[in-house]
Amino acid sequence: MNNSELINAIRRSNMAYKAYSKEKYYYQALRIRSINKVIYTLLEDLQLKTDDIYQNNRIVDYIFHLEDWFAQFEDLENRLKPTLDTEFVFERLTNSFSYPKEFIKKLK
């Protein structure tokens, strides 16, 4: 994997999030989940190939952020049993890993 694959996936995720943030419907959140799964796979691959400890830790932080996000998504999905046009809003869990802005800046 080269970084351009990850960068392109993150761009797509950001585009999906921007569309979601306007209305926050389930079908829009599904787009984010779809690309976040791709990002997760790319990060796992990158993490296994990275020798730099600092970089590796930043990658793991992003992986943990996504794992927290997936768990929260699934929990809300199970509680709401949403249809495509159901409002689907959640807040980041207390003490969960935050979105890795600095890692993404350095990646670009």
Side-chain angles (χ1 to χ4, degrees), residues 25 28 54 66 75 83-84 92 101 108:
Y25 290 124
Q28 296 164 320
Y54 178 81
L66 290 173
D75 178 64
T83 61
L84 291 177
R92 186 169 64 93
K101 293 175 191 172
K108 297 177 180 179

Short mmCIF file of all heavy atoms in Angstrom, two decimals, residues 25 28 54 66 75 83-84 92 101 108:
data_model
loop_
_atom_site.label_atom_id
_atom_site.label_comp_id
_atom_site.label_asym_id
_atom_site.label_seq_id
_atom_site.Cartn_x
_atom_site.Cartn_y
_atom_site.Cartn_z
N TYR A 25 -28.51 11.86 8.63
CA TYR A 25 -29.39 10.71 8.42
C TYR A 25 -28.57 9.42 8.38
O TYR A 25 -27.38 9.42 8.05
CB TYR A 25 -30.19 10.85 7.12
CG TYR A 25 -31.24 11.93 7.17
CD1 TYR A 25 -31.25 12.96 6.24
CD2 TYR A 25 -32.22 11.91 8.15
CE1 TYR A 25 -32.22 13.95 6.27
CE2 TYR A 25 -33.19 12.90 8.20
CZ TYR A 25 -33.19 13.91 7.26
OH TYR A 25 -34.14 14.88 7.31
N GLN A 28 -26.57 8.52 5.29
CA GLN A 28 -25.33 9.29 5.17
C GLN A 28 -24.24 8.72 6.09
O GLN A 28 -23.07 8.68 5.72
CB GLN A 28 -25.59 10.76 5.50
CG GLN A 28 -26.53 11.41 4.50
CD GLN A 28 -27.09 12.72 5.01
OE1 GLN A 28 -27.42 12.84 6.18
NE2 GLN A 28 -27.19 13.70 4.12
N TYR A 54 7.12 6.10 16.72
CA TYR A 54 6.21 7.24 16.83
C TYR A 54 5.09 7.13 15.80
O TYR A 54 3.92 7.26 16.13
CB TYR A 54 6.97 8.56 16.66
CG TYR A 54 6.06 9.76 16.70
CD1 TYR A 54 5.63 10.27 17.93
CD2 TYR A 54 5.60 10.37 15.53
CE1 TYR A 54 4.77 11.36 17.99
CE2 TYR A 54 4.74 11.45 15.59
CZ TYR A 54 4.33 11.94 16.81
OH TYR A 54 3.47 13.01 16.86
N LEU A 66 -11.12 4.47 15.21
CA LEU A 66 -12.11 3.82 14.34
C LEU A 66 -12.82 2.68 15.07
O LEU A 66 -14.03 2.51 14.91
CB LEU A 66 -11.44 3.31 13.06
CG LEU A 66 -10.99 4.40 12.09
CD1 LEU A 66 -10.19 3.80 10.95
CD2 LEU A 66 -12.18 5.19 11.56
N ASP A 75 -23.81 0.22 18.32
CA ASP A 75 -24.68 0.36 19.48
C ASP A 75 -25.91 1.21 19.13
O ASP A 75 -27.05 0.82 19.42
CB ASP A 75 -23.91 0.99 20.65
CG ASP A 75 -24.79 1.21 21.86
OD1 ASP A 75 -25.28 0.21 22.43
OD2 ASP A 75 -25.01 2.39 22.23
N THR A 83 -34.28 3.29 9.76
CA THR A 83 -34.51 3.20 8.32
C THR A 83 -33.54 4.20 7.69
O THR A 83 -32.89 4.98 8.39
CB THR A 83 -35.96 3.55 7.95
OG1 THR A 83 -36.22 4.89 8.36
CG2 THR A 83 -36.93 2.60 8.62
N LEU A 84 -33.44 4.22 6.39
CA LEU A 84 -32.44 5.06 5.73
C LEU A 84 -32.57 6.54 6.09
O LEU A 84 -31.58 7.25 6.19
CB LEU A 84 -32.50 4.88 4.21
CG LEU A 84 -32.02 3.52 3.72
CD1 LEU A 84 -32.21 3.42 2.20
CD2 LEU A 84 -30.57 3.27 4.09
N ARG A 92 -19.07 11.54 20.55
CA ARG A 92 -17.92 10.70 20.87
C ARG A 92 -18.00 10.25 22.33
O ARG A 92 -18.35 11.02 23.22
CB ARG A 92 -16.62 11.48 20.63
CG ARG A 92 -15.38 10.63 20.80
CD ARG A 92 -14.15 11.36 20.29
NE ARG A 92 -13.83 12.56 21.00
CZ ARG A 92 -12.99 12.60 22.04
NH1 ARG A 92 -12.41 11.52 22.47
NH2 ARG A 92 -12.74 13.74 22.62
N LYS A 101 -6.21 14.33 13.94
CA LYS A 101 -5.96 15.45 13.03
C LYS A 101 -4.48 15.62 12.70
O LYS A 101 -4.10 15.84 11.55
CB LYS A 101 -6.49 16.75 13.62
CG LYS A 101 -7.99 16.82 13.75
CD LYS A 101 -8.40 18.09 14.44
CE LYS A 101 -9.87 18.02 14.79
NZ LYS A 101 -10.29 19.13 15.63
N LYS A 108 -0.49 13.98 4.74
CA LYS A 108 -0.69 14.73 3.50
C LYS A 108 0.58 15.46 3.16
O LYS A 108 1.07 15.59 2.17
CB LYS A 108 -1.86 15.69 3.63
CG LYS A 108 -3.17 14.97 3.85
CD LYS A 108 -4.30 15.94 4.04
CE LYS A 108 -5.61 15.18 4.28
NZ LYS A 108 -6.72 16.02 4.49
#
